[in-house]
Amino acid sequence: NDKMSLHFKGWKKLEPCLREYSGVKALWLEGNGLAALEHLDTMTELRCLYTQQNCLESLEGLEHNVLLDSINATNNSIRTISHISHLTGLHTLQVANNRLCDAADIVHLCECPSLGVLDLQNNKLEDPQCLEVLASLPDLRVLQLQGNPLTRKIKHYRKTVIARLRELTYLDDRPVFEDERRTTRMWAQAGASHKAPEGGEVDAVMIAEALADGTFSVEKAHEAEKAERAAIREEKDAKDKRNRESFQKMLYDARMRRIAHVLNNVRLFEGLSEDCVLEMAAKCASNPVHTNMVVGFAKEEVCLHAGAPVQGLYFVGKGKVQFSRQDKPCYESNVLHGGQYFGENSLCTTGDMPAGSDVVAKDYSELYLLSRDDVLDVADQHEGAMDVLQRNRGNALRVQWHECKPWRAYELVHSTNTFIVAREGMAPPSAPGAANDEDARPRSAPGEQYPIEWYGKNELAKSVPESADEADEINPDGISGDHDISGDMMADEYKESWARVQENKRLALAEAGLTEAEFVAQAEARKRGEDPLVP
């Protein structure tokens, strides 16, 4: 057996028959009347020895048990700790409630550097020099000294012990944390610095002497401790700030990658470079619709009110939202979940269009906005991005031609595909910054300075449905495939809007002095590389 229990047998000595049990690793001898440890020389594998509540006066008899890791010898009559220096693996020694009196009784511990847990409580130790003996144990982490006269004799006992034994993690009845260790060290160094040699450190004896002769500077010690506490507080605040920033950055990076994955599937951004899409995703991820970066929209909170301008593409980062009108779900009660978006078409127009319904959070939700200005800012910085957006715009945007006005960027970027209708008697368009005089400014033909690519694969006139029925065929459900609420209207609202479109179209062609057929013919001529104004 590797475990042997011989406790509470009433034995006064151990018999030689124990030598037969050479494989024992844990031996219980508690609650007997043993005066000495005998006949344990064959137990060379012994790891744990429990000899509490006996009559032992020393730990002699363990010469052959070199693998011992733990000895419990509490409640005995041990006067001097000895005969254990050969136990190089001894980690735990419990000798509480014995008869140890001064530093000489425990000086043998200096030869046991492997000790990590030492229980000396309820002895008769009162010499401050005992702390110097304990300070020589490099691996000592847990120390029990309560119940000794030493704890009452030394002023500021806990601070003194911690200042001298700098690796302690537990003293008596409570743990020793790093903050307490640092403040105590500064307290001792400042209060008894005059006792230490120049450039040296203060030990327990110096602290005891300074406290005994009244030269310990309590004021300096408290000031040093206060300053160290302030430094610790600043370090913790800085660490907490770094942790918060790192956590927010981790969330931001994850959100940005998720948005970038979605943007790659948006019609308007098809064909853009990966870097361009990532920058747009970064803009979107850093632009929450909710005002608090940490807390989003609560359940049943309105994220976007009907009639409010739809400023761009809205990405549902978390939760779910639903479109409603007059507190009733609309658009077939469609619900958008995390990872879905709406408002794509608003990126293609020059002005903000009003939302056709409320966007209501059906759970805790987070919304992020990719605005038109952000798209243009990023596209300006990437070569060819504007051309890709031009090609995709006609496919992404199913609206009428009067809404196809240039984005801000196209007023700044030169395009080789622009055309100017130089009719007889018409001057070129005004330069940027010219006086804003409507009468003095020359009138422009439809599409003047507008890239042809604005209108997608078809010419301008052909992109306009001839009737409301034809428009319904383009978008029969009244909602885009990407749930764009900006272009969705009730039937009567759509008819009114269509009537305005037709009227604007008629006025624009009349202003240019062209019929629709002439305009289409000129567009065809330009596609063939011919000058439409040359007969």
Side-chain angles (χ1 to χ4, degrees), residues 124-260:
K124 300 179 181 180
L125 299 172
E126 58 181 349
D127 187 358
Q129 190 65 33
C130 292
L131 294 184
E132 296 306 307
V133 175
L134 301 177
S136 66
L137 302 176
D139 294 333
L140 188 61
R141 298 293 184 271
V142 179
L143 176 63
Q144 298 281 353
L145 279 178
Q146 57 191 358
N148 287 282
L150 176 69
T151 61
R152 300 186 297 272
K153 186 176 181 179
I154 297 179
K155 292 182 180 179
H156 306 286
Y157 155 72
R158 184 173 178 87
K159 289 184 176 179
T160 302
V161 175
I162 295 175
R164 192 65 189 98
L165 282 66
R166 298 185 176 181
E167 301 301 325
L168 279 184
T169 59
Y170 208 99
L171 175 61
D172 294 336
D173 57 346
R174 63 182 186 270
V176 179
F177 296 108
E178 181 63 23
D179 293 353
E180 183 181 10
R181 185 180 296 109
R182 287 178 55 180
T183 55
T184 300
R185 187 180 305 166
M186 297 303 297
W187 171 86
Q189 193 69 30
S193 58
H194 60 284
K195 292 288 185 178
E198 186 176 356
E201 295 187 0
V202 176
D203 58 27
V205 176
M206 296 176 187
I207 297 173
E209 291 177 357
L211 290 171
D213 59 23
T215 60
F216 187 89
S217 178
V218 178
E219 183 177 353
K220 288 183 178 179
H222 287 328
E223 287 296 327
E225 182 180 4
K226 184 178 179 180
E228 188 67 15
R229 289 188 187 280
I232 291 173
R233 192 180 308 111
E234 291 179 359
E235 292 175 7
K236 285 186 175 181
D237 291 343
K239 182 180 179 181
D240 291 343
K241 182 179 179 180
R242 290 194 303 271
N243 290 340
R244 287 194 301 270
E245 291 176 349
S246 298
F247 182 69
Q248 290 296 332
K249 185 178 183 301
M250 180 184 68
L251 294 179
Y252 172 79
D253 290 342
R255 186 188 311 129
M256 182 183 68
R257 290 193 298 270
R258 188 181 185 191
I259 294 175

Side-chain angles (χ1 to χ4, degrees), residues 38-53:
E38 303 173 292
H39 311 302
L40 302 180
D41 50 306
T42 60
M43 298 183 183
T44 56
E45 300 294 324
L46 193 62
R47 300 293 196 281
C48 302
L49 178 62
Y50 304 96
T51 62
Q52 62 269 34
Q53 298 180 13

Side-chain angles (χ1 to χ4, degrees), residues 10-26:
W11 295 347
K12 294 185 178 181
K13 65 177 182 178
L14 298 175
E15 298 295 334
C17 60
L18 287 178
R19 290 196 174 111
E20 298 179 8
Y21 302 94
S22 58
V24 176
K25 295 183 179 180

Side-chain angles (χ1 to χ4, degrees), residues 38-108:
E38 303 173 292
H39 311 302
L40 302 180
D41 50 306
T42 60
M43 298 183 183
T44 56
E45 300 294 324
L46 193 62
R47 300 293 196 281
C48 302
L49 178 62
Y50 304 96
T51 62
Q52 62 269 34
Q53 298 180 13
N54 279 285
C55 301
L56 299 178
E57 295 184 358
S58 72
L59 296 175
E60 186 177 359
L62 302 175
E63 290 77 9
H64 297 88
N65 310 110
V66 295
L67 298 181
L68 272 171
D69 175 81
S70 176
I71 299 176
N72 188 342
T74 60
N75 293 289
N76 279 281
S77 300
I78 298 175
R79 297 178 180 274
T80 302
I81 296 178
S82 60
H83 300 93
I84 58 172
S85 59
H86 63 286
L87 303 177
T88 56
L90 186 62
H91 179 265
T92 303
L93 177 62
Q94 297 172 271
V95 285
N97 295 290
N98 279 279
R99 299 183 180 182
L100 304 174
C101 296
D102 53 31
D105 296 341
I106 63 172
V107 70
H108 185 72

Side-chain angles (χ1 to χ4, degrees), residues 317-337:
K318 183 183 293 186
K320 54 186 178 180
V321 298
Q322 187 177 42
F323 306 115
S324 66
R325 207 179 272 122
Q326 297 180 352
D327 297 329
K328 295 181 180 180
C330 59
Y331 307 134
E332 299 181 357
S333 301
N334 285 331
V335 176
L336 301 186
H337 297 267

